Amino acid sequence: MTTSMIRMGMQVDAWKQDLGDFYRARIVEMDDSLIFIHYEGFPPDQADWIHLSDIRRPLANNNISKPNRQHSSINALTASTKRRRKESLQQIDDPNQHQQRQWPHLQDEKGDGDDQGGGKYGPKGRESPLSWKDYATFYYTQEGTKARHHTGLVQDRRMALHSCPCHSKEFAHPERPDRLSSILQQLHNERILRYVKHLHGREATPSELSKAHTIQHIHNYTPPEQEGNKEIMKVTSIAALLNPTPPPKTLRGIGGGVVTTETTTATTQDGYLLPSHRNRLLPNDENITTTSTTTSATTPMNVKLTYPPDLVCQMACGELGIAVDTTFHPSHSSVSAKVAAGSLITLVDAIVQGQLHNGFALVRPPGHHAEDDAAMGFCFFNNVAVAALSTLDKYPTQIKKILIIDWDIHHGNGTQKIFYDHPNVLYISIHRWDHGEFYPHTGAPDECGVGDGVGRNVNIALSDDDSQSRPMGDPEFVAAFYHIIVPIARQFNPDMIFVSAGFDAAAGHPENLGGYIVTPRGFSLMTKLVMDLAQELCDGKLVLTLEGGYALQPLAVSAAASVAQLLRPTSSSNNDDDYRHTLNSVKPNQGCVTSLAKCIQIQQSHWQFDADLLSPSCRFHLPLHWHASEAILTRPKRDKRPIKVPMVEGY
């Protein structure tokens, strides 16, 4: 029998845990003993990290025996394995060294007579061998190697497990697994996935979470020690113990709903589930699983369930939620939230250690609304806060100051609260405020920090003006960057930049969740502005992490525009070399002008601004040569017929 060699792009039979069978797949990336697999004929969000022992060489007779073992978690990595990662990256990049590595378990072998599905493909069938050959060729080129050492993309299928237990086909929750799959599909369509280094996620540890959250909050969103088939543990907060009869509290949802706790029964205030919901919140056997998950859809009684005390609001779909409309699945949401935070930490580590230049964390649930002791606004753990504080703690000589820029349309109340007195973290948020009428009703321009953190909190709070002719869009957001964010960032001089990259300011979102009209080009320009800033101030150390964005098509194209901008300049034609002719208008609307002037009026006590920005007559115009040569009003009418997107095969 001939021994096969691992090579990127090669076809294998790979075990697909959720379907319990082997399927034809392609090797996309490798990290020591783990392999990133794209299953042929399946959408890109089905790609997964699996163990070497879970792949076999394709057999012509389709007889492949199922491995007689339990599929362990990818998180069960030894310390020595982690230490070898950097060396393994160098070996993979060198095809000569790589071909010398032998994997005996990939040898030809006869099946045991049981048809376990070798040679099966996904719904779209077999993919073009020529396309994958092209990927393999690119992978081992100098350009391919440089691309993978420039931009990282972290993803983990466990984050798709978080969903509402209702599984309703009639009611679509805004924060849903489709958000990740739509972005990955867009990256695939634009052939961006071949230009990034794929990283696998992990769960954040309790120690890491405790840097930003209280022990009680972590406990509330951690599965109890007993198994799910035993009696459910009642989780009670310290506040509930001290105040047996809590005062009425108004809860506001990100979608606009309002609930007052005095109208809620006592059984829901202290953390118990309504009796009618107990059975409906058990694990569903149709949920997504992966070899890296800690749960099994086929053995629901082994799943540890979590019932946080804030799970008290009955949502429109009929299930219980947190803070009015934040969905929670007792068997999956806690794991997904920890993986979101841990995945961002993994990406940041790779950037700080010099393995990558920048990266995008494709994570959910989002985090910037999560406070140190409360979940809300679709967020459970504050991913950016956890990662930033972990970075300051782990790399005290390299990373002493961190800048967090938040361009989600909603103010990051959780991030602001956690860093409100922190002298070494500067938080700048540009968000829709509407004089405090827009969710989460925080983020006023005069909220500047307290104690040692005074001046380290900058709120660019946008409010409409009755005389403005259009909603906030590209000129308004870019003007905020150009006139306020960039000058302040230069004075702060951070060692690393984080971006809470929400895309709910994108055109196409409903009024209650967005209402602005930022385009993919606008997000691309903001990404470039931050990239140039990072290159100037901190050797390019930059990480973007997904926050909001709920209209799938605008979310996907906007996120893809930002990722494309992160790539090496020669890697993709989507990069804008400069800012010339990029905006349809260089004049922000009146509401933006008033909002920027108010922000500068307050922040001039903490930061220096050019004299012309302090003038009452300042209109915050952008450079004239940034104006597009062909304005949108003079362009030909857009063909409204559906555009057929050609099927893209391979990475």
Side-chain angles (χ1 to χ4, degrees):
M1 292 185 294
T2 304
T3 302
S4 300
M5 309 296 175
I6 291 288
R7 185 174 175 85
M8 300 306 116
M10 73 180 293
Q11 188 181 61
V12 295
D13 279 318
W15 182 255
K16 202 169 190 308
Q17 178 76 350
D18 54 336
L19 297 180
D21 211 339
F22 281 96
Y23 283 80
R24 287 287 158 88
R26 297 284 179 166
I27 296 178
V28 176
E29 188 61 86
M30 185 172 175
D31 187 356
D32 202 79
S33 63
L34 296 175
I35 298 179
F36 189 58
I37 290 293
H38 169 83
Y39 294 96
E40 286 199 54
F42 287 94
D45 67 304
Q46 296 292 300
D48 202 2
W49 288 93
I50 65 175
H51 293 276
L52 276 172
S53 54
D54 288 332
I55 67 172
R56 298 175 184 269
R57 182 175 178 178
L59 300 181
N61 61 8
N62 289 347
N63 289 330
I64 299 180
S65 58
K66 180 178 178 180
N68 185 21
R69 67 173 187 82
Q70 295 293 326
H71 293 266
S72 58
S73 169
I74 64 170
N75 294 313
L77 300 177
T78 64
S80 60
T81 297
K82 294 179 181 179
R83 287 195 299 268
R84 293 197 303 270
R85 280 180 175 170
K86 189 171 183 179
E87 289 79 2
S88 68
L89 291 178
Q90 297 173 349
Q91 293 177 341
I92 293 170
D93 287 333
D94 186 346
N96 295 323
Q97 293 186 33
H98 191 66
Q99 288 184 343
Q100 295 174 6
R101 303 180 68 179
Q102 297 184 355
W103 311 103
H105 72 283
L106 286 177
Q107 294 178 359
D108 284 318
E109 60 186 69
K110 294 182 179 180
D112 60 2
D114 295 329
D115 185 359
Q116 298 294 335
K120 286 187 176 180
Y121 294 90
K124 294 183 179 180
R126 185 182 182 187
E127 298 177 3
S128 169
L130 292 178
S131 176
W132 281 103
K133 183 178 180 180
D134 178 64
Y135 170 77
T137 300
F138 172 79
Y139 188 96
Y140 292 109
T141 62
Q142 186 177 21
E143 182 182 353
T145 299
K146 289 181 178 180
R148 290 191 307 281
H149 285 279
H150 189 275
T151 301
L153 179 71
V154 63
Q155 63 187 96
D156 191 304
R157 290 193 66 204
R158 285 174 291 179
M159 289 181 282
L161 294 169
H162 165 57
S163 61
C164 183
C166 70
H167 300 290
S168 174
K169 295 182 179 179
E170 299 178 358
F171 186 90
H173 293 278
E175 209 295 287
R176 56 198 189 277
D178 292 344
R179 298 176 64 233
L180 299 187
S181 58
S182 66
I183 294 174
L184 281 169
Q185 187 62 57
Q186 188 67 30
L187 295 175
H188 182 72
N189 292 346
E190 296 185 20
R191 300 301 290 268
I192 291 176
L193 292 175
R194 65 165 53 190
Y195 296 106
V196 299
K197 169 66 179 177
H198 296 272
L199 302 174
H200 59 82
R202 65 170 177 85
E203 292 185 36
T205 66
S207 175
E208 290 169 334
L209 294 173
S210 67
K211 298 183 187 304
H213 295 283
T214 64
I215 298 300
Q216 184 62 46
H217 180 72
I218 298 170
H219 173 72
N220 289 345
Y221 289 90
T222 299
E225 290 301 320
Q226 70 264 39
E227 298 296 329
N229 59 339
K230 297 183 180 180
E231 185 176 354
I232 298 172
M233 174 183 289
K234 172 184 173 183
V235 181
T236 305
S237 66
I238 295 176
L241 293 174
L242 297 177
N243 301 282
T245 306
K249 179 181 179 181
T250 299
L251 303 175
R252 299 181 183 275
I254 192 170
V258 179
V259 170
T260 302
T261 56
E262 64 180 353
T263 64
T264 308
T265 63
T267 56
T268 61
Q269 284 184 358
D270 60 13
Y272 280 119
L273 292 174
L274 293 174
S276 61
H277 288 74
R278 284 183 181 268
N279 295 331
R280 294 169 60 187
L281 289 177
L282 291 176
N284 188 301
D285 59 4
E286 295 179 356
N287 287 327
I288 301 172
T289 59
T290 171
T291 56
S292 60
T293 64
T294 58
T295 62
S296 172
T298 58
T299 56
M301 301 312 291
N302 292 331
V303 178
K304 294 181 179 180
L305 306 181
T306 307
Y307 296 99
D310 295 331
L311 193 66
V312 298
C313 302
Q314 185 166 347
M315 299 182 293
C317 67
E319 292 293 349
L320 290 179
I322 297 166
V324 182
D325 52 11
T326 296
T327 62
F328 186 85
H329 198 299
S331 57
H332 299 311
S333 293
S334 291
V335 171
S336 296
K338 291 177 183 177
V339 171
S343 296
L344 178 56
I345 294 174
T346 294
L347 180 57
V348 171
D349 285 342
I351 294 172
V352 176
Q353 293 170 11
Q355 300 171 27
L356 295 169
H357 203 63
N358 59 44
F360 189 94
L362 189 57
V363 300
R364 67 174 289 272
H368 73 151
H369 291 308
E371 299 184 349
D372 60 331
D373 58 354
M376 59 182 291
F378 309 150
C379 306
F380 303 100
F381 298 120
N382 196 304
N383 305 322
V384 163
V386 170
L389 290 170
S390 296
T391 302
L392 290 171
D393 183 59
K394 284 192 292 187
Y395 309 101
T397 59
Q398 294 173 263
I399 309 297
K400 299 178 181 179
K401 293 190 295 182
I402 286 177
L403 166 62
I404 300 175
I405 299 173
D406 189 337
W407 70 46
D408 189 289
I409 197 171
H410 303 93
H411 177 245
N413 57 290
T415 310
Q416 171 175 295
K417 181 182 177 184
I418 291 170
F419 293 111
Y420 209 53
D421 60 352
H422 203 298
N424 298 322
V425 176
L426 170 61
Y427 176 64
I428 304 179
S429 174
I430 174 173
H431 54 272
R432 180 178 175 182
W433 188 51
D434 288 353
H435 305 291
E437 294 298 317
F438 194 70
Y439 185 89
H441 315 286
T442 58
D446 59 355
E447 297 171 1
C448 302
V450 295
D452 293 338
V454 170
R456 295 296 189 259
N457 197 87
V458 179
N459 284 321
I460 306 174
L462 301 177
S463 298
D464 288 340
D465 185 275
D466 293 337
S467 63
Q468 71 185 48
S469 59
R470 66 175 187 276
M472 305 288 181
D474 294 356
E476 290 72 33
F477 272 68
V478 174
F481 270 82
Y482 186 80
H483 293 294
I484 297 180
I485 296 178
V486 171
I488 291 179
R490 284 173 173 158
Q491 295 171 62
F492 182 66
N493 194 26
D495 299 303
M496 186 169 185
I497 300 177
F498 287 67
V499 176
S500 279
F503 297 96
D504 36 13
H509 281 77
E511 181 70 19
N512 64 328
L513 291 175
Y516 284 179
I517 55 172
V518 179
T519 69
R521 172 57 63 87
F523 285 110
S524 177
L525 289 174
M526 289 190 287
T527 304
K528 179 171 174 54
L529 283 164
V530 180
M531 278 185 62
D532 290 346
L533 201 58
Q535 193 62 43
E536 174 188 343
L537 302 176
C538 49
D539 297 323
K541 294 185 182 68
L542 169 66
V543 62
L544 274 64
T545 183
L546 181 64
E547 295 286 0
Y550 309 104
L552 298 184
Q553 197 271 343
L555 165 66
V557 295
S558 299
S562 287
V563 175
Q565 192 62 244
L566 292 175
L567 306 179
R568 290 184 68 247
T570 58
S571 296
S572 172
S573 59
N574 291 333
N575 289 87
D576 295 310
D577 294 332
D578 56 39
Y579 304 98
R580 297 175 61 86
H581 311 307
T582 53
L583 292 169
N584 291 324
S585 173
V586 294
K587 300 178 180 180
N589 64 29
Q590 183 57 47
C592 178
V593 170
T594 303
S595 300
L596 297 187
K598 181 65 174 179
C599 178
I600 289 179
Q601 176 190 349
I602 294 171
Q603 291 295 333
Q604 65 178 325
S605 300
H606 312 294
W607 308 99
Q608 295 181 355
F609 297 95
D610 291 340
D612 58 337
L613 296 180
L614 303 176
S615 170
S617 61
C618 179
R619 308 301 298 171
F620 299 99
H621 289 177
L622 293 164
L624 186 60
H625 65 273
W626 289 18
H627 193 281
S629 57
E630 185 183 57
I632 192 169
L633 294 179
T634 63
R635 292 177 182 171
K637 290 185 177 180
R638 179 174 61 88
D639 190 347
K640 296 184 179 180
R641 292 175 298 179
I643 300 175
K644 292 184 178 180
V645 179
M647 185 175 67
V648 178
E649 296 184 343
Y651 271 39

